[in-house]
Amino acid sequence: MTTNRTFTMIKPDAVANGHIGNILAMITNAGFKIVSLKLTQLTVADAKAFYAVHAERPFYGELVKFMSSGPIVAAILEKENAVADFRTLIGATNPAEAAEGTIRKLYATSMGENAVHGSDSDENAMIESNFHFAGREQF
Ligand SMILES: Nc1ncnc2c1ncn2[C@@H]1O[C@@H]2COP(=O)(O)O[C@H]2[C@H]1O
């Protein structure tokens, strides 16, 4: 079943660099409706849990440290075909490979500090949304 929803985070690099407004504008201009939104910060334990699927990867420690290093913006977005269309809007994980006009092409600085997260499946979108937002915060 498709939920037509995806989950995103504007990561600590993009928040620190002052890109929240521009990134949210790109998201809404691309036709996504924001149905949950908050500025928050992950603890180390939160980041470990959120990225548990990557626990065996060599970059896991670096990823957890970075993602808990400062505030992030968490959001749930709604649009037909949300997961796939949002991944198109953000571009490739490695900004060197991201297409022109994508969020990562514009705002990411490296593979690790890549400005935004986007869920990779409907199932993960739901898990990640519920990790960050209570039911009463999901409109
Ligand atoms: N080779 C890598 N080196 C460092 N970070 C990585 C590497 N591969 C993936 N990542 C990070 O791991 C993150 C997993 O979630 P994201 O897709 O949001 O973004 C990914 C990257 O920021």
Side-chain angles (χ1 to χ4, degrees):
M1 185 195 81
T2 176
T3 61
N4 291 324
R5 287 188 170 198
T6 192
F7 172 78
T8 186
M9 292 180 286
I10 303 177
K11 297 187 180 185
D13 58 323
V15 172
N17 291 332
H19 299 314
I20 295 174
N22 286 340
I23 291 174
L24 290 178
M26 285 181 76
I27 289 170
T28 52
N29 288 341
F32 292 88
K33 181 178 167 188
I34 296 170
V35 295
S36 299
L37 182 70
K38 68 177 153 197
L39 187 66
T40 184
Q41 183 165 352
L42 296 171
T43 64
V44 168
D46 290 333
K48 281 184 177 170
F50 186 87
Y51 287 110
V53 66
H54 295 306
E56 304 306 321
R57 303 281 196 94
F59 58 81
Y60 182 62
E62 192 185 320
L63 176 62
V64 166
K65 189 173 167 197
F66 168 62
M67 287 304 296
S68 57
S69 67
I72 60 162
V73 172
I76 304 174
L77 308 174
E78 188 172 84
K79 183 185 176 296
E80 201 176 307
N81 205 29
V83 167
D85 285 3
F86 191 69
R87 287 176 76 80
T88 301
L89 178 66
I90 65 179
T93 303
N94 182 352
E97 293 163 12
E100 289 297 330
T102 60
I103 294 174
R104 283 175 172 156
K105 180 71 177 183
L106 286 165
Y107 299 117
T109 48
S110 68
M111 182 88 117
E113 303 199 4
N114 63 358
V116 280
H117 167 81
S119 304
D120 63 6
S121 67
D122 286 334
E123 186 190 1
N124 283 336
M126 206 173 300
I127 292 168
E128 292 169 1
S129 296
N130 292 334
F131 183 95
H132 282 270
F133 293 101
R136 65 185 159 74
E137 296 174 311
Q138 300 184 28
F139 294 94

